[in-house]
Amino acid sequence: MTAPATQAVRRRVTVRGTVQGVGFRPFVHRLATDLSLAGFVSNTANGVLIEVEGPPDRVTDFCDRLAAQPPPLATVTRVGVEDLPVGGADGTFTIRSTDRSPGRTLLPPDTATCADCLRELADPADRRHRHPFVTCTHCGPRFTIATGMPYDRAVTTMAGFPMCADCAREYCDPLDRRFHAQPVACPGCGPRLRLVPAAGSEVRPARDADALASARALLAAGRIVAVKGLGGYHLACDATDARAVRTLRTRKARGGKPFAVMCADLDTVRRIAVLSTPEQAALTSPRRPIVLLRRRAEQAGLAPGVCPGSPHLGVMLPYTPVHTLLFGLPGDPPGPRVLVMTSGNRSGEPIVTDDDEALTRLAGLADAWLAHDRPIASPCDDSLLRVRPDGTEQVLRRSRGYVPRPLRLPVPVRPALAVGGDLKNALCLGEGDHAWFGPHIGDMGDLATLEAARRADAHLRCLTGVAPEVVAADRHPGYHSARWAARLAGRGPVLVQHHHAHIASAMAEHGLDGTAPVIGVAFDGTGYGDDGTVWGGEILLADYSGFRRFARLAPAPLPGGDAGVANPCRLALARLWAAGLPWDADLPCVKACAPDEPALLLAQLERGLACVATSSMGRLFDAVSSLVGVCHRAGYEAQAALELEAAAASAWDAETSAYAFTGDLDPAPVFGALVADLRRGTPAPVLAARFHRAVARAVAEICRRARRDTGLATVALSGGVFANALLEAECARLLADDGFVVLRHREVPPNDGGLALGQLVVAAHLRQEE
């Protein structure tokens, strides 16, 4: 019972953050009941509203524990408390229905199946035994089923599945784990699985348990199955079956790009990769990302075509009940324990989410479709990260498990949309002190991807309530994203230089308010420079209002422009030409050329035909990769650089010497030394390691020079080249040892997937100054 009114207090508590769809109201109800407090809790469009009444010490304890002990998926960003007149409550605490007034609250990301639901899935005595859509308030889909806010079943793709009496009872019971779990369902009232065979196949259609058993049998037989997940379809095959992997690679026109794999459990992961404690924590977190792990030499039978030439293997664990059942429960017929799980699309297209579209767009790729009838409101590809030796994470693709969780901004911004770039595209909305990334979209190369971006924008606006007044884009005049931004912006978009946006994204992620500039090291493959050339090896002095180019990699011709990127051997010849070094016939890059290729390239370089100057560090890595004999033709983005990193990693601990750049990051002496070492028969891994260390030492030296000139002592490392683990770690070590504060990306990708955040804060700052 509540104490008499004269000894009681009443307070209104407003809680903001990710507090809907995560079991926050039943948590509040249990907390208040345990403390014998009266009042109510309700969802509103701005968060959670609580009125609580009782003895002052208990009310204070209640308020303190709200933020300190929230449910697993909740994130409390703000708790506001105000006193109210005591109402003489009757001692009960109730949960009220959702207030649908306009406003904003935060929706949690999709999360992996929790331990409680996995136990029910495997328990023959439980009514959800083998239910492919088992979920509760602590796990399952959120972002990919939400069609509006505030988050409620009526505005999710579960609206078409009326609850049975048993599910409705759980849904309405504040003491139940499924209280107001919007995706709640059971075999009697929930979504249904079905297996659809390819046209002309001898496989029979199947439903539910039979569909899963048939899909597992197909995978064991070397077939390719399109599997519908949370945010779209995967194409799956047995990762130990070389023929199946080769078939999938051919059908998808994947080239040599590595595939990600899904392992049934941690023991299976350990058989194919080296797994540290922080990497295990990342793998098993509710986000369930793909984690880049160091491959074991033997790899326990993994087909060599899974990740040719890569030092790492992208690994994830099952994160839906469908995945768990696909691997099988105890007693099921055996199936593959490692599956290739690659995005369900043709190369260059967005991931497929619609069932009818999947049957047409994935025709010829899949032998069967394991589908279900719960619609996907928004595509959401798998997230990708690596774990550094110090245990910190570097996200390389921020999507499922992260979106739409906001980032806190260090400076308030007007409502704005940043459209990112044309590669690894991800949009970003911002207002006030919050920024919301959309899911990974991919490369903006066709109408399908542009349409995916338009839908992602509309969905994100709907869920966040942001109505952009400012639109930001890259300055590249040929970018599809920039042209789309021009159509969206009434006053015209704010155009932000590519590498300035990279540095600004690192500053914003680390909470810098921009009042002081940083030394920004922006290394990537391609970015449109202010002088009309291709930049990408830049040391900038930058804040949110602008930048100055302090130093840059000495430029060289890029023969054929973007088309030339696929030919690292030509890039190597162009760099040798720029350094005044001969194209001797015994050099690996020369031997890799077609007989007439060097003569044609020389004429092109001497006349300046179809050659744009580039200071790109990414292209320098490509050129060195070919010069030392590692990769001469690239079948996918950054292949040559990735294989060069793999070579360097194999010699890293034994080889500590380095080549030396001169002047303003001039690589001519590095190329001369590489050629001399080639003549001595020095192995390619040693050459690669010395080159990596040379770049890191040059970065440290130029940053020291910038500090002497300006007094700045904070360095931001950004751009896709810093996805290179060896280079990033060596740069950070040298800089930290020299007394610099080093900003490295964590949750925001260093590549173009993080570009939109930098565009957002720069554009908002510039518009505020107008």
Side-chain angles (χ1 to χ4, degrees):
M1 291 293 294
T2 304
T6 55
Q7 301 176 20
V9 296
R10 186 176 185 89
R11 289 178 183 158
R12 175 179 292 134
V13 184
T14 54
V15 185
R16 298 197 177 187
T18 305
V19 290
Q20 292 188 18
V22 294
F24 200 85
R25 286 183 298 164
F27 155 71
V28 172
H29 181 275
R30 287 191 298 271
L31 179 58
T33 302
D34 289 347
L35 293 171
S36 299
L37 299 174
F40 68 86
V41 59
S42 174
N43 276 345
T44 75
N46 290 306
V48 168
L49 173 66
I50 306 163
E51 289 193 14
V52 61
E53 184 172 319
D57 56 340
R58 293 183 190 175
V59 171
T60 298
D61 188 22
F62 172 87
C63 295
D64 291 342
R65 289 163 65 180
L66 281 177
Q69 303 171 0
L73 302 185
T75 302
V76 176
T77 59
R78 189 175 303 158
V79 177
V81 179
E82 59 179 306
D83 291 327
L84 295 175
V86 174
D90 61 3
T92 62
F93 193 94
T94 61
I95 298 177
R96 293 186 178 178
S97 59
T98 297
D99 172 8
R100 304 196 61 81
S101 61
R104 175 184 299 142
T105 191
L106 305 179
L107 182 71
D110 297 352
T111 52
T113 316
C114 70
D116 288 333
C117 285
L118 287 174
R119 279 193 290 270
E120 293 174 343
L121 187 72
D123 182 1
D126 194 277
R127 74 186 191 93
R128 290 187 174 85
H129 180 229
R130 293 186 179 274
H131 176 47
F133 305 96
V134 60
T135 185
C136 69
T137 53
H138 299 154
C139 68
R142 300 293 191 273
F143 173 72
T144 54
I145 63 169
T147 59
M149 290 297 284
Y151 180 67
D152 210 348
R153 193 178 180 98
V155 286
T156 72
T157 60
M158 288 296 295
F161 298 92
M163 285 180 278
C164 67
D166 288 335
C167 286
R169 188 163 46 251
E170 294 169 337
Y171 183 86
C172 294
D173 182 357
L175 301 180
D176 194 280
R177 198 173 90 250
R178 294 186 168 89
F179 176 75
H180 278 240
Q182 308 307 342
V184 66
C186 72
C189 65
R192 304 286 298 274
L193 275 178
R194 67 185 187 278
L195 184 82
V196 182
S201 170
E202 74 282 3
V203 179
R204 298 177 61 182
R207 285 194 173 273
D208 299 322
D210 291 338
L212 279 159
S214 296
R216 191 183 315 115
L218 286 169
L219 292 167
R223 302 294 187 88
I224 297 166
V225 179
V227 180
K228 187 177 182 181
L230 288 179
Y233 277 83
H234 284 110
L235 291 168
C237 73
D238 182 354
T240 67
D241 186 329
R243 182 177 179 181
V245 173
R246 188 165 55 249
T247 299
L248 176 56
R249 192 171 288 284
T250 300
R251 289 183 184 178
K252 196 174 176 181
R254 179 82 171 186
K257 189 174 183 180
F259 283 128
V261 299
M262 179 179 283
C263 293
D265 49 40
L266 284 171
D267 287 341
T268 306
V269 174
R270 293 188 184 97
R271 285 197 288 272
I272 62 174
V274 179
L275 184 63
S276 69
T277 299
E279 287 167 339
Q280 178 175 320
L283 268 179
T284 58
S285 73
R287 303 185 308 265
R288 286 294 198 284
I290 300 170
V291 180
L292 290 178
L293 302 177
R294 192 155 47 89
R295 304 189 316 185
R296 290 194 181 277
E298 63 280 5
Q299 292 187 47
L302 200 67
V306 170
C307 52
S310 172
H312 301 106
L313 177 64
V315 179
M316 59 181 157
L317 292 171
Y319 55 85
T320 70
V322 170
H323 295 143
T324 301
L325 294 170
L326 192 59
F327 283 110
L329 297 179
D332 285 341
R337 304 299 286 171
V338 187
L339 295 173
V340 167
M341 279 282 186
T342 187
S343 299
N345 55 9
R346 295 182 184 273
S347 292
E349 295 182 354
I351 189 171
V352 178
T353 57
D354 179 78
D355 298 333
D356 292 336
E357 190 178 2
L359 293 174
T360 56
R361 282 178 57 191
L362 302 182
L365 277 69
D367 297 309
W369 287 255
L370 183 62
H372 60 75
D373 55 356
R374 183 180 68 202
I376 296 172
S378 175
C380 202
D381 219 327
D382 297 313
S383 294
L384 172 68
L385 62 82
R386 67 179 178 91
V387 180
R388 300 182 178 102
D390 64 2
T392 60
E393 297 177 359
Q394 182 192 56
V395 174
L396 301 172
R397 183 169 69 211
R398 189 182 190 274
S399 202
R400 179 187 51 77
Y402 291 89
V403 174
R405 190 178 75 198
L407 296 164
R408 180 66 64 87
L409 293 175
V411 289
V413 301
R414 292 170 57 188
L417 165 69
V419 301
D422 269 18
L423 299 179
K424 298 179 176 63
N425 183 268
L427 311 177
C428 190
L429 279 176
E431 183 175 2
D433 61 354
H434 281 100
W436 292 265
F437 268 109
H440 169 80
I441 295 170
D443 297 348
M444 304 276 276
D446 56 29
L447 290 175
T449 316
L450 284 168
E451 176 58 21
R454 187 197 64 76
R455 291 196 303 267
D457 174 35
H459 190 234
L460 203 57
R461 292 189 195 205
C462 175
L463 298 186
T464 63
V466 175
E469 300 170 7
V470 178
V471 179
D474 195 276
R475 285 185 186 171
H476 196 302
Y479 270 7
H480 299 285
S481 55
R483 289 199 288 267
W484 177 48
R487 293 194 295 271
L488 288 173
R491 295 175 53 189
V494 178
L495 301 179
V496 182
Q497 200 279 325
H498 190 91
H499 302 97
H500 184 201
H502 272 310
I503 301 306
S505 73
M507 293 172 65
E509 182 179 10
H510 283 270
L512 273 64
D513 63 10
T515 55
V518 301
I519 304 168
V521 183
F523 286 174
D524 63 3
T526 299
Y528 185 76
D530 284 352
D531 57 3
T533 66
V534 177
W535 290 8
E538 315 306 314
I539 289 82
L540 310 177
L541 308 179
D543 56 22
Y544 297 140
S545 63
F547 70 94
R548 176 166 70 86
R549 199 181 189 193
F550 181 80
R552 54 94 174 97
L553 179 70
L558 178 60
D562 289 343
V565 174
N567 298 285
C569 58
R570 296 183 189 175
L571 302 178
L573 296 183
R575 272 290 172 189
L576 289 169
W577 180 83
L581 297 170
W583 296 353
D584 294 329
D586 63 334
L587 293 177
C589 54
V590 177
K591 289 192 287 186
C593 291
D596 60 346
E597 200 169 358
L600 292 173
L601 180 61
L602 181 60
Q604 185 178 1
L605 292 170
E606 289 178 339
R607 297 174 186 174
L609 298 174
C611 287
V612 61
T614 180
S615 60
S616 165
M617 185 60 73
R619 300 293 79 82
L620 184 69
F621 272 76
D622 293 345
V624 171
S625 185
S626 178
L627 176 61
V628 304
V630 171
C631 179
H632 304 296
R633 309 286 184 185
Y636 61 91
E637 184 196 3
Q639 178 180 354
L642 282 170
E643 294 184 5
L644 185 70
E645 180 188 359
S650 66
W652 191 255
D653 292 336
E655 181 56 49
T656 59
S657 61
Y659 301 120
F661 287 76
T662 59
D664 193 8
L665 261 181
D666 183 357
V670 174
F671 275 76
L674 282 166
V675 170
D677 277 349
L678 279 166
R679 299 263 188 262
R680 298 185 188 99
T682 306
V686 174
L687 302 177
R690 290 175 180 173
F691 170 71
H692 277 71
R693 293 189 189 278
V695 175
R697 292 183 188 184
V699 166
E701 174 54 37
I702 292 176
C703 289
R704 282 193 291 270
R705 177 152 48 95
R707 181 171 57 188
R708 287 195 300 269
D709 291 356
T710 66
L712 300 177
T714 299
V715 178
L717 305 179
S718 192
V721 170
F722 284 111
N724 182 314
L726 290 180
L727 180 68
E728 193 219 33
E730 186 68 0
C731 286
R733 183 186 69 82
L734 292 174
L735 290 165
D737 287 351
D738 208 11
F740 287 97
V741 175
V742 184
L743 310 181
R744 298 194 285 173
H745 285 284
R746 295 192 176 183
E747 188 173 325
V748 177
N751 54 43
D752 285 7
L755 201 65
L757 177 64
Q759 293 174 348
L760 184 83
V761 292
V762 170
H765 187 91
L766 294 178
R767 277 289 161 90
Q768 285 172 351
E769 290 183 339
E770 291 179 0

